[in-house]
Amino acid sequence: MSHVALAQREGAADIDLKRLELIEPIVRQEIAAKKLPGAVVLVGRGNRVVWQKVVGNRAVEPVVEPMTADTIFDLASLTKVVATTTAAMILIEEGKIRLSDRVATYIPGFERYNKGNITVRHLMTHMSGLRPDVDLGDMWTGYDKAIELAIEEVPAAPAGERFVYSDIGYFLLGDIVRRVSGQPLDELTRDRIFKPLGMTDTMFKPPAKLASRIAPTENCTPYGWPCEGPERKMLRGVVHDPTARRMAGVAGHAGLFSTAADLSIFARMLLNGGSYNGVRILSPLAVDRLMTPSTPPGERNVRGLGWDMDSSFSSNRGELLPIGSFGHTGWTGTSLWIDPATKLFVVFLSNRNHPDGKGDVTPLRARVATVAASSLTGVSPDLLLTTASAGRDFGPTSPAPTEPAAVPVLSGIDALRADGFAILRGKRVGLITNQTGRARDGTSTIDLIHQAKDVKLVALFSPEHGIRGVLDAKVASETDEKTGLVIHSLYGETRRPTDEMLKDVDMLVFDLQDIGARFWTYTTTMAYAMEEAAKRKIPIVVLDRVNPVNGVQIEGPSLDKAQIGFTGYFPAMPIRHGMTHGELARLFNAENKIGADLTVVGLRNWSRDQWFDSTGQAWINPSPNMRSLIQATLYPGIGAIEGTNLSVGRGTDTPFEQIGAPWIDGVKLAEVLNARNVPGIRFYAVRFTPASSKYAKDECQGVFMVVTDRIALRPVRVGAEIAAALYRMYGAKYEIDAAARLFGSSANLAALKAGAEPATLMSSWSQAEARWRLLRAKYLIYR
């Protein structure tokens, strides 16, 4: 039985109105906790509104205004389903768009950078692989510019592979609607949806005459448009979403304004098979298609077309409404959830980000939906079970999707070994490696190649820290006790293999662990070896290893040409590059026209979004002061400021997790940094005495860093925040200019000295990051 048919079944399902009165005190409790200024909550069933409550205030700044039932709210991402999804479905059922149509069919040029297979269905289910949003650091404006930026996007994942909630996907869908219909999205939705339904208070770009009824959000941020003029200071009737604001207020992902009463009409239209008061917006089958699970089997985030069903975003369903119901939220604090089985709908509208952007109604929306669901009486269990099993097999009577079995990641040496060392047979091999060169079972790459049949290992080469990774100074050449081979140092008198070192070598092999940061010197050792091998027409093989801090996230400024050297080989590379050594080798070889005879023996079973702790591999310290994944996570930012007169914890048990100096007040610094509310990290004051390195034997005060969310963390920003705080607190006593070699951008350091906000600095990196993302795309090996 279809969802629509279920929605049209007659049955007694009374509402306990006294129970609904529990909602108001829950909302008031959150208002008192400053989670929101006020809200309008509406509960309906079938074709009627059964309960509505107005709580709190519409505005608290600059003057207090009581909330009213007719308050107009910025719906934020509810735009996606109320406007854009519905408009797209109208065109689909008219045969003008097909779900399987490629986006590039409608938007020429979109096929660039492996986007040619992205379809309308992918956009509507957030399975396109496109990022959540375009870069906002560059102060671009204009609808056409947003589409141009989307055309230049490089997908974070192949189409259909994984769920990535994407505003880009939805403003592209809105643009397809515009191109196909010949009308801007705001005009089409007005003419085909809102005006016919009598939703008179639902619109994009509400006129000034309605301003007194509109719930304000917060002060305009520098990332949006427009921000000028005192009348724009508190956004009111201007869309809060910065990308939609730059697109002049009409976008497929955000920009719609509405009231609780209008949304109740919209919900009743869907529950009635696409019609309301005799006006048909969609066919019953079109409505049924909207709420049918449309994400691939096995995808943990279950979505219909546009609508959320059971995903990481669906907490507003509450605890009782069955899977099979559907809804959506908006970032400003809005929510709509509809259950076809019981014909219940819950509208929750707030401006939780008024006045300062710090509100949060995520738990509240869930509690409101739970109470609303608990008010239903006389609901047939058979009805719920039928709904739960409708469409794809999921729901409370089915087991939850399980995680795929963990498949161990195999490094390049494991793959080479599995292939019987075929590419090395008959060769005299020189091996660049250290203690990290090990197979999954712990056998060293040196031993494996030395023992390989028909392969002659003739020379060893060691990078910074030596063949065993324990030295923090120049490395001398030596002899390997086990093989009797000379170990040529590439971090001593020379950092490049010489004629003498390579005289008996007819194939070079590189096997070293990267850490994911530009100034990690093993990367330059690889590049220099490629250059020297190319000069002598010696083939080079890179045995790839994982990027331990994932291959997706990119962050930081590009490198000043004056800083190119052993700690920065390629100027376009941001500090956190998001590639593996094998991928970087491909990029260096092509972009720097090295001309090496290069072979990359790739990883097996690794995906770009994996961190080291999901690979099933054992951590081997790649250097004496890189002892854990936490330290590797922080390293791109803390390493970037290591050149200054700070200890970064070398000579202690926790390098790169703490910073300090004898002249720092650790308690004050922790207070200053925590007040910054930097995402993903907290700080507490510490005292430590390094046993070696900078400030050896001197007690330092400083801060210890606790990573609270490594996905939200932007480590390069953390480094900039620490540098900015120290310069504000201590002025020239903190030698910030000495960070230039590793941080890479003298202009950025000058901006920090001039008082620039680190967050603003971070936004200035977006252009370089975008250029890097485009450049690296053609050299990526892994998805």
Side-chain angles (χ1 to χ4, degrees):
M1 183 180 292
S2 75
H3 291 290
V4 173
L6 288 170
Q8 293 174 335
R9 282 180 56 170
E10 294 296 330
D14 298 330
I15 298 284
D16 182 348
L17 295 178
K18 288 184 179 180
R19 192 160 193 83
L20 290 175
E21 294 300 327
L22 296 173
I23 292 174
E24 182 177 359
I26 293 172
V27 177
R28 290 198 180 279
Q29 181 182 22
E30 296 299 283
I31 291 173
K34 299 189 182 302
K35 300 293 186 181
L36 71 165
V40 178
V41 186
L42 181 150
V43 178
R45 181 176 178 270
N47 200 34
R48 59 194 177 103
V49 173
V50 297
W51 186 87
Q52 182 173 341
K53 188 67 67 172
V54 176
V55 191
N57 295 309
R58 176 164 56 212
V60 295
E61 289 185 14
V63 296
V64 175
E65 299 175 27
M67 186 67 75
T68 60
D70 65 351
T71 295
I72 299 170
F73 292 86
D74 179 344
L75 295 186
S77 284
L78 275 179
T79 303
K80 293 179 174 73
V81 289
V82 176
T84 312
T85 295
T86 309
M89 207 66 196
I90 288 171
L91 297 177
I92 287 169
E93 69 173 14
E94 291 177 350
K96 296 176 180 177
I97 297 176
R98 298 182 68 225
L99 291 171
S100 58
D101 285 345
R102 295 183 177 187
V103 175
T105 302
Y106 303 104
I107 304 178
F110 185 76
E111 67 277 4
R112 296 177 196 168
Y113 314 119
N114 300 316
K115 299 196 299 294
N117 290 330
I118 297 176
T119 66
V120 171
R121 179 187 285 105
H122 289 138
L123 299 184
M124 296 182 77
T125 55
H126 298 279
M127 295 294 297
S128 67
L130 295 170
R131 292 188 299 156
D133 203 356
V134 292
D135 293 314
L136 294 170
D138 180 21
M139 294 302 289
W140 60 268
T141 59
Y143 183 97
D144 291 341
K145 181 62 176 177
I147 303 303
E148 178 185 322
L149 290 172
I151 289 172
E152 294 300 316
E153 276 291 308
V154 178
E161 183 176 275
R162 60 188 172 96
F163 173 84
V164 181
Y165 184 85
S166 178
D167 285 352
I168 298 175
Y170 252 83
F171 73 63
L172 285 170
L173 182 63
D175 192 56
I176 291 172
V177 168
R178 177 187 69 85
R179 292 172 189 248
V180 172
S181 69
Q183 284 185 284
L185 183 64
D186 57 335
E187 294 180 11
L188 177 71
T189 52
R190 178 197 63 202
D191 296 344
R192 300 290 302 272
I193 305 169
F194 308 137
K195 189 174 180 180
L197 288 175
M199 296 170 62
T200 55
D201 288 327
T202 303
M203 67 202 78
F204 292 87
K205 299 191 296 187
K209 66 181 181 181
L210 294 176
S212 63
R213 288 174 51 202
I214 297 173
T217 50
E218 62 178 315
N219 289 343
C220 186
T221 70
Y223 304 112
W225 180 93
C227 288
E228 298 77 14
E231 74 280 2
R232 299 284 189 179
K233 185 177 181 183
M234 186 67 73
L235 293 174
R236 190 163 198 165
V238 176
V239 60
H240 179 273
D241 180 87
T243 301
R245 196 154 74 243
R246 293 188 188 193
M247 295 174 72
V250 180
H253 70 289
L256 194 65
F257 289 74
S258 190
T259 62
D262 275 9
L263 290 182
S264 78
I265 293 173
F266 187 81
R268 284 177 277 180
M269 177 272 292
L270 291 178
L271 285 172
N272 197 44
S275 298
Y276 176 78
N277 278 354
V279 174
R280 178 191 183 278
I281 302 299
L282 294 169
S283 68
L285 287 178
V287 174
D288 196 55
R289 185 67 185 84
L290 286 176
M291 60 184 81
T292 297
S294 298
T295 41
E299 169 57 50
R300 289 171 292 174
N301 294 278
V302 180
R303 311 279 298 201
L305 293 178
W307 292 90
D308 192 5
M309 304 190 80
D310 185 29
S311 78
S312 55
F313 292 85
S314 55
S315 63
N316 61 317
R317 188 181 68 227
E319 311 299 330
L320 300 179
L321 289 173
I323 298 177
S325 57
F326 61 97
H328 213 282
T329 59
W331 193 87
T332 50
T334 59
S335 171
L336 173 63
W337 204 268
I338 303 168
D339 178 26
T342 60
K343 296 187 278 189
L344 182 78
F345 57 93
V346 182
V347 179
F348 180 94
L349 297 181
S350 75
N351 51 337
R352 63 96 188 163
N353 52 340
H354 175 76
D356 56 11
K358 296 180 179 179
D360 180 11
V361 295
T362 303
L364 176 59
R365 288 184 298 207
R367 293 164 69 191
V368 167
T370 298
V371 173
S374 74
S375 71
L376 291 168
T377 61
V379 179
S380 166
D382 292 338
L383 184 63
L384 295 177
L385 289 173
T386 304
T387 302
S389 61
R392 190 173 62 176
D393 183 22
F394 72 106
T397 58
S398 304
T402 57
E403 294 282 348
V407 179
V409 172
L410 301 180
S411 296
I413 182 59
D414 296 302
L416 182 70
R417 184 188 199 179
D419 198 34
F421 301 93
I423 61 173
L424 305 188
R425 286 179 190 161
K427 303 294 184 182
R428 295 174 300 168
V429 172
L431 174 62
I432 305 168
T433 193
N434 64 4
Q435 77 289 348
T436 64
R438 291 187 178 273
R440 184 171 174 77
D441 65 1
T443 308
S444 74
T445 303
I446 296 173
D447 290 344
L448 287 170
I449 293 179
H450 186 247
Q451 296 163 8
K453 185 179 180 181
D454 299 328
V455 178
K456 187 173 183 179
L457 183 62
V458 297
L460 296 173
F461 300 83
S462 64
E464 183 182 5
H465 308 301
I467 202 86
R468 298 171 190 85
V470 294
L471 302 176
D472 247 343
K474 272 190 175 182
V475 179
S477 294
E478 55 182 321
T479 300
D480 180 57
E481 294 179 3
K482 193 167 185 179
T483 64
L485 295 171
V486 174
I487 305 170
H488 301 290
S489 172
L490 298 180
Y491 195 74
E493 297 307 316
T494 179
R495 296 186 179 180
R496 295 171 177 268
T498 64
D499 284 334
E500 179 64 23
M501 294 175 181
L502 295 170
K503 65 180 181 180
D504 296 322
V505 173
D506 50 29
M507 178 171 279
L508 265 180
V509 176
F510 176 93
D511 188 14
L512 290 170
Q513 177 63 58
D514 187 26
I515 214 68
R518 180 181 64 213
F519 37 75
W520 191 249
T521 61
Y522 299 172
T523 304
T524 306
T525 295
M526 177 185 72
Y528 286 177
M530 290 170 59
E531 291 178 358
E532 298 307 317
K535 290 176 186 176
R536 298 164 178 83
K537 301 190 183 307
I538 297 173
I540 184 167
V541 176
V542 173
L543 303 180
D544 214 1
R545 292 190 173 272
V546 303
N547 184 324
V549 293
N550 80 56
V552 174
Q553 290 175 294
I554 292 168
E555 186 193 11
S558 55
L559 185 69
D560 290 346
K561 288 187 178 180
Q563 306 302 337
I564 295 174
F566 198 57
T567 53
Y569 175 77
F570 194 79
M573 186 191 300
I575 292 176
R576 190 175 181 185
H577 53 70
M579 298 180 78
T580 67
H581 265 153
E583 293 172 330
L584 286 170
R586 284 158 47 93
L587 184 147
F588 295 161
N589 203 33
E591 296 298 326
N592 276 2
K593 298 180 172 56
I594 294 173
D597 181 357
L598 172 69
T599 301
V600 176
V601 180
L603 297 157
R604 295 182 182 176
N605 310 322
W606 186 71
S607 59
R608 304 206 69 78
D609 58 354
Q610 279 186 275
W611 292 69
F612 189 87
D613 54 9
S614 69
T615 63
Q617 297 183 346
W619 179 271
I620 299 170
N621 295 345
S623 77
N625 289 285
M626 190 59 61
R627 304 173 189 172
S628 71
L629 181 56
I630 291 292
Q631 291 167 16
T633 302
L634 290 164
Y635 180 69
I638 305 308
I641 59 173
E642 184 177 5
T644 68
N645 53 335
L646 279 181
S647 167
V648 295
R650 290 182 186 269
T652 75
D653 291 336
T654 50
F656 300 107
E657 293 184 68
Q658 58 186 351
I659 61 96
W663 44 270
I664 288 176
D665 181 337
V667 172
K668 181 63 176 175
L669 180 59
E671 180 184 333
V672 168
L673 290 171
N674 282 324
R676 299 288 300 164
N677 291 313
V678 181
I681 195 166
R682 296 292 290 171
F683 305 85
Y684 63 82
V686 290
R687 293 174 181 263
F688 60 89
T689 303
S692 60
S693 194
K694 204 173 294 181
Y695 300 122
K697 313 300 183 188
D698 292 337
E699 185 182 62
C700 297
Q701 286 193 56
V703 293
F704 194 92
M705 289 160 276
V706 180
V707 175
T708 58
D709 183 345
R710 69 185 184 185
I711 301 299
L713 181 73
R714 295 295 179 265
V716 184
R717 177 184 172 182
V718 172
E721 289 279 359
I722 291 170
L726 289 172
Y727 193 79
R728 285 195 303 269
M729 293 169 69
Y730 299 104
K733 190 170 187 177
Y734 175 56
E735 298 168 2
I736 190 172
D737 290 332
R741 182 172 62 90
L742 299 179
F743 197 83
S745 172
S746 296
N748 276 195
L749 297 176
L752 287 178
K753 289 170 68 176
E757 276 287 315
T760 303
L761 202 68
M762 182 178 169
S763 71
S764 74
W765 304 333
S766 63
Q767 284 185 304
E769 291 167 349
R771 287 193 295 268
W772 176 252
R773 194 174 285 110
L774 293 174
L775 177 66
R776 74 173 193 148
K778 52 190 167 183
Y779 304 109
L780 298 182
I781 301 171
Y782 314 101
R783 294 183 174 182

